[in-house]
Amino acid sequence: MNIRELARRSGVSTATVSRALNDRAEVSEATRAKIRALASELGYAPNEPARTLVRRRSDTIGLIWDSGQEARGLHNPYLLGLLSAVRTALSEADYHLMLLNTPGAEEQDTALLQAVRRHNLEGVIVLTTPPDDRCLRLLAGSTVPCAGIDTAFTGPRTVRVSSDNAAGAELAVQHLYEQGHRRIATVTGPLHLPPAAERLAGYLRACTRLGLAVPPEYVTEGDFFLASGQSAGKRLLALADRPTAIFAAGDQMAIGAMHAAADAGLSVPGDLAVVGFDDIDAASLVRPALSTVAQDQRGLGEAAVASLRGLIDAAPVEPAQPRIVPTRLVVRGSSRPRG
Amino acid sequence: MNIRELARRSGVSTATVSRALNDRAEVSEATRAKIRALASELGYAPNEPARTLVRRRSDTIGLIWDSGQEARGLHNPYLLGLLSAVRTALSEADYHLMLLNTPGAEEQDTALLQAVRRHNLEGVIVLTTPPDDRCLRLLAGSTVPCAGIDTAFTGPRTVRVSSDNAAGAELAVQHLYEQGHRRIATVTGPLHLPPAAERLAGYLRACTRLGLAVPPEYVTEGDFFLASGQSAGKRLLALADRPTAIFAAGDQMAIGAMHAAADAGLSVPGDLAVVGFDDIDAASLVRPALSTVAQDQRGLGEAAVASLRGLIDAAPVEPAQPRIVPTRLVVRGSSRPRG
DNA sequence: GACCGTGCCGTAAACGTTTCCGATCGGCGG
DNA sequence: CCGCCGATCGGAAACGTTTACGGCACGGTC
C-alpha cells in the first residue's frame, strides 16, 4: 500500500495525492476529500523514510540521557517525568522521538554526531548532567541544535533550560523563616554542579535578605545521596549553636538529615524542621512526609521543546538565553508549625 | 558527504563502497581497508532513511509505555530501569529505538499501527500494563512482533515477559519463616492484574508448603499505593490473632504497613516484620530500610529484546512461550532477626 | 587451447516520496 | 477574437542507498 497504489485507485497522479495529504493549496477541495477518504479507508500511511530522504528533514529529534548514573545504581527519579514531558511536548509539535544510547567508553568520539547525521535528526535533547563526555562536547560544538535540561554544555546552537534553582531555594528558606526559624543551615550538592551552586546561592541570598546570620559551619557540602545528608545532619546537630531547621539541596539528603535527627533523639518537625529539593517519590512516603521544592517537569519538557524548535528554524542569531522554569514549594509534615 | 562522494574519492563505484562498509564478501581486503580508512577520516555515516527505503527494513523497534499512570500522578519507579535496560539491550543487538507516544482518547484507533508502518518498525516493546486500549489491542492482533513486559495482551506474534512473581513471593514468605515467623499475613495488589494474582498465588503456595495456617482475614486486597497498605496494616494489626509479619505485594503498600505499625505503637521489625516487592528507591530510604523482592530489570529488558528478535526473524510457528525472569530477595532492616 | 569457475568490481534499477516545471482548461478584460 | 491569468493537475527528476546482473581477468582442468 503505497502512494502509487492510492493514486491509481483515486484516478489521479501521485503528485496530486501527495499534495492532497500534505495540505498543499494546489488541489481542489473535491479531490482532496476523495483522496482523504480513500486513504483512511485503505489505512494508508506515508512512508517516513522516503519522505525524509527526499525532503531532507526527518521531523525527528534525538533524546539522550546519562545512564552512567543508573549503571552505578543511582536512579534519578526525575528522569522519567522529564522523559514523559518531553515526549508529549514533542508529539504535540508533530515531532518523532528517537532514543540515542549514551556512548560508552569504547565508542568512537563521533558516535553521537554520526548517529545524528545517520538519522537526519534535527535536534537533540539532553537530560540531566552527563559525565564530562567528549561525545557530548563534540555534539554541542557542532551546528546541531541542542537543548539541555539541567546540563552545563555550551555551543553555537545550544540552549540550556533548567529550574529556577536559586528562587526555589529562596522559597524554602522563606517558608522556614515564616515558620519561626532563625537558625537555618543547609546541605548542598557537589558545588561544581551548576544546580547545586545555584541552590546555595539562593539560600545565601534569602538569608541575607531576611537578616539571618549564616555562620560558615552552617553550610556543609554533600553529594545528593542519603548518607551524605545523614552525616551532614549529624555534624550540624552537634553544633553548639544548633540549627532549628535544615534546607537540603536534594530530597535524599533531606531524608538523611531526618535520620540524623532521629539518631540524636530529636523529633521532626518539633526539634528540627527539614525541607528538601526535587520532590522525589520517597518524599511523600517517609514519615513525617518531606516538605520540598518541586520541579515542574512538564514545564521543563515544554520549555526544552520550545527552545529547540526556536533553534531549529531560526538562524543562529545569538547565543540563546537560558530558559528558567519556576519551581513550587510543597509543604508537608517535616516543616509544619513548630510544636 | 554521501556514498557517491566517498566512492569518487576512493576511486571505486558506490556499489563497492556499500559492499565494503557492509562487510560483504565480494570485496578485496585491500580496497575494503582503504574505503574504511577514508570513510572514518571523512566522518561518513550512511543515511539510514535511504537504507531503510531500499532494504525495506529499518533495524528499528518502537517502545511504548503507559503514561496514563503518570498523568494521574502515579509514578512507576520501575519504568526508568526497564527503559534503560531495553535501550542497552537493543543497542547491543544493533537496533535503533523509537519512542511511540501512547495514544490518547482523541487518537484514531489505528494510530499505533499506522506509526509502526510509517516508520517501518520491525517490532514493538510495551512496558507495564497499559490501560485496556483499543490501539494496543489492534497492534497485538496484527502481525507486528510485540514483546510486553508485565503486560497481558495476546496476539499472533506477541510474547509476554515478566518477573517470576510467584517465586518471588515464595522467597519472601520463606525468608520470614526462617526468621521465626509463623503468622504471616499479606496485602495484595488489585487481583485482576496478573502480577498481583501471581504474587498472591506464590504466597499461598509457600504457606501451604511450610504448613502455615492462612485464615481468610490474613489476605487483604490493596491497590499498590501507600494508603491502601496503611489501612490494610491497621486492619491486620487489630486482629485478635495478630500477624507477626506482613508480606506486601508492593513496596509502597509495605511502607504503608510500616506506618500502620508505628501508629499502633509497634516497632519494626521487633513487633512486626515487613517485606515488600519491587525494590523502589524509597525502600532503601525509609527507616528501617525495607526488605523487598527486587525485580531484575536488566534481565527483563534483555529477555524482551531476545524474545522480540526471535519473533522478528522466525516464522510465527507457535504462540511464543512467556519468558519468566527470576527475582532476588533483598534483606534489609524491616525483617531482620526478631529482637 | 578451449572452457569453466572464482574473485573482484561497475552499471543501473529499484525503494516511496516530494516538488519543479509544464500543460490544460475556463474565464475575463481588451 | 486574442492573449493572459489563476486554478488544477500530471510527468519526471530527484533524494542516498542496496543489490541483481553482467563483465573482466586470472588460474586451473581437461
Side-chain angles (χ1 to χ4, degrees):
Chain A
M1 198 56 234
N2 52 12
I3 202 178
R4 205 147 33 213
E5 178 68 11
L6 182 56
R8 198 182 58 75
R9 299 213 200 187
S10 321
V12 296
S13 74
T14 65
T16 302
V17 173
S18 172
R19 283 189 279 247
L21 296 181
N22 288 4
D23 275 324
R24 293 236 171 286
E26 318 96 315
V27 76
S28 76
E29 263 320 309
T31 57
R32 184 194 308 280
K34 187 174 63 178
I35 292 173
R36 276 270 164 71
L38 205 57
S40 84
E41 178 193 334
L42 298 180
Y44 168 75
N47 185 291
E48 284 296 336
R51 296 189 81 213
T52 300
L53 183 57
V54 61
R55 294 175 44 207
R56 252 166 306 198
R57 49 172 302 188
S58 61
D59 292 333
T60 302
I61 76 109
L63 184 67
I64 183 176
W65 76 82
D66 176 21
S67 64
Q69 293 188 10
E70 311 155 24
R72 282 177 251 118
L74 326 177
H75 286 250
N76 184 334
Y78 253 87
L79 236 44
L80 189 60
L82 283 179
L83 230 109
S84 300
V86 164
R87 183 169 55 82
T88 61
L90 275 177
S91 81
E92 275 169 16
D94 280 322
Y95 274 97
H96 307 129
L97 212 164
M98 173 151 272
L99 236 56
L100 269 27
N101 48 331
T102 43
E106 76 285 357
E107 308 274 351
Q108 291 276 353
D109 286 12
T110 58
L112 249 183
L113 207 50
Q114 298 237 356
V116 169
R117 276 209 293 259
R118 283 163 68 102
H119 298 282
N120 276 84
L121 300 184
E122 302 182 22
V124 175
I125 292 185
V126 183
L127 297 187
T128 78
T129 81
D132 203 14
D133 196 314
R134 284 176 314 182
C135 281
L136 211 61
R137 208 188 295 266
L138 216 63
L139 181 70
S142 76
T143 62
V144 176
C146 294
I149 300 186
D150 263 336
T151 24
F153 56 50
T154 55
R157 301 188 71 181
T158 65
V159 60
R160 169 168 119 96
V161 5
S162 87
S163 283
D164 198 340
N165 289 298
E170 283 195 76
L171 238 50
V173 174
Q174 174 80 32
H175 163 66
L176 288 169
Y177 183 89
E178 286 166 2
Q179 301 294 325
H181 294 279
R182 293 298 178 268
R183 296 200 305 278
I184 305 176
T186 187
V187 186
T188 75
L191 289 175
H192 63 94
L193 297 179
E198 292 164 14
R199 291 171 193 180
L200 173 60
Y203 161 84
L204 293 173
R205 183 143 41 111
C207 286
T208 53
R209 179 167 53 79
L210 295 169
L212 299 180
V214 181
E217 61 271 22
Y218 269 24
V219 177
T220 64
E221 185 171 348
D223 61 4
F224 278 132
F225 295 108
L226 184 82
S228 74
Q230 189 165 359
S231 61
K234 185 176 176 185
R235 281 199 307 275
L236 288 171
L237 294 176
L239 253 44
D241 193 21
R242 177 159 64 81
T244 66
I246 292 181
F247 163 63
D251 280 349
Q252 288 205 23
M253 297 193 299
I255 293 174
M258 285 171 57
H259 289 180
D263 290 340
L266 300 175
S267 80
V268 176
D271 301 318
L272 179 77
V274 177
V275 173
F277 208 113
D278 281 347
D279 196 18
I280 65 177
D281 292 322
S284 48
L285 299 178
V286 295
R287 254 196 169 186
L290 180 66
S291 297
T292 188
V293 180
Q295 301 196 45
D296 179 8
Q297 304 164 60
R298 169 157 345 182
L300 287 167
E302 286 171 358
V305 170
S307 307
L308 196 58
R309 292 185 66 182
L311 240 45
I312 288 175
D313 46 38
V317 280
E318 62 207 42
Q321 291 293 338
R323 290 276 282 257
I324 304 299
V325 178
T327 58
R328 180 173 51 90
L329 181 70
V330 179
V331 177
R332 298 202 182 94
S334 70
S335 68
R336 284 273 148 71
R338 310 178 65 177
Chain B
M1 198 54 235
N2 52 14
I3 202 178
R4 206 146 33 214
E5 179 67 11
L6 184 55
R8 199 182 56 74
R9 299 214 200 187
S10 317
V12 297
S13 73
T14 63
T16 302
V17 172
S18 172
R19 284 189 278 246
L21 296 181
N22 288 3
D23 275 325
R24 293 235 171 287
E26 318 97 315
V27 175
S28 76
E29 264 320 310
T31 58
R32 186 194 307 280
K34 186 173 62 180
I35 292 173
R36 276 270 165 72
L38 205 56
S40 84
E41 177 192 335
L42 298 180
Y44 167 75
N47 185 291
E48 285 295 338
R51 297 189 81 214
T52 300
L53 184 57
V54 62
R55 294 175 45 206
R56 251 168 304 199
R57 49 173 302 189
S58 61
D59 293 333
T60 302
I61 75 108
L63 185 66
I64 184 175
W65 75 84
D66 176 22
S67 66
Q69 293 188 9
E70 309 155 25
R72 283 177 251 119
L74 326 176
H75 286 250
N76 183 333
Y78 253 88
L79 235 46
L80 189 61
L82 283 178
L83 231 106
S84 300
V86 165
R87 182 171 54 82
T88 60
L90 274 176
S91 81
E92 276 169 15
D94 279 321
Y95 273 96
H96 307 128
L97 212 170
M98 173 152 273
L99 237 55
L100 270 26
N101 47 331
T102 43
E106 77 283 358
E107 307 275 351
Q108 292 276 353
D109 286 13
T110 57
L112 250 183
L113 209 49
Q114 298 238 356
V116 170
R117 276 210 291 259
R118 283 162 69 103
H119 296 283
N120 275 84
L121 301 185
E122 303 182 21
V124 175
I125 291 183
V126 183
L127 296 187
T128 78
T129 81
D132 203 14
D133 195 314
R134 285 175 313 183
C135 282
L136 211 61
R137 208 188 295 265
L138 217 64
L139 182 71
S142 76
T143 63
V144 177
C146 294
I149 300 185
D150 262 335
T151 24
F153 57 51
T154 54
R157 300 187 71 181
T158 64
V159 59
R160 170 168 118 95
V161 5
S162 88
S163 283
D164 197 338
N165 288 298
E170 283 195 78
L171 238 50
V173 174
Q174 174 81 32
H175 164 66
L176 289 169
Y177 183 87
E178 285 167 1
Q179 300 295 324
H181 295 280
R182 294 298 178 267
R183 296 200 304 278
I184 305 176
T186 187
V187 186
T188 75
L191 289 175
H192 63 94
L193 297 180
E198 292 164 13
R199 290 172 194 180
L200 173 59
Y203 161 83
L204 292 174
R205 183 142 41 111
C207 286
T208 52
R209 179 166 54 79
L210 296 169
L212 298 180
V214 181
E217 62 270 21
Y218 267 25
V219 177
T220 64
E221 185 170 348
D223 62 3
F224 278 132
F225 294 109
L226 185 82
S228 74
Q230 189 166 359
S231 61
K234 187 175 174 184
R235 280 199 307 276
L236 288 172
L237 293 176
L239 255 43
D241 193 21
R242 174 158 67 79
T244 65
I246 293 181
F247 163 63
D251 281 349
Q252 288 204 23
M253 297 193 300
I255 293 173
M258 286 171 57
H259 290 178
D263 292 340
L266 299 176
S267 80
V268 176
D271 300 318
L272 179 77
V274 177
V275 174
F277 207 114
D278 281 348
D279 196 18
I280 67 176
D281 292 323
S284 48
L285 298 178
V286 294
R287 255 196 169 189
L290 180 66
S291 297
T292 189
V293 179
Q295 301 195 44
D296 180 6
Q297 305 165 59
R298 165 147 0 170
L300 287 168
E302 287 172 356
V305 170
S307 307
L308 196 59
R309 293 184 64 182
L311 241 44
I312 288 175
D313 45 39
V317 280
E318 63 206 45
Q321 292 294 338
R323 290 275 283 253
I324 303 300
V325 178
T327 57
R328 180 173 50 92
L329 180 70
V330 180
V331 177
R332 298 201 182 95
S334 70
S335 68
R336 282 274 147 72
R338 309 178 67 176

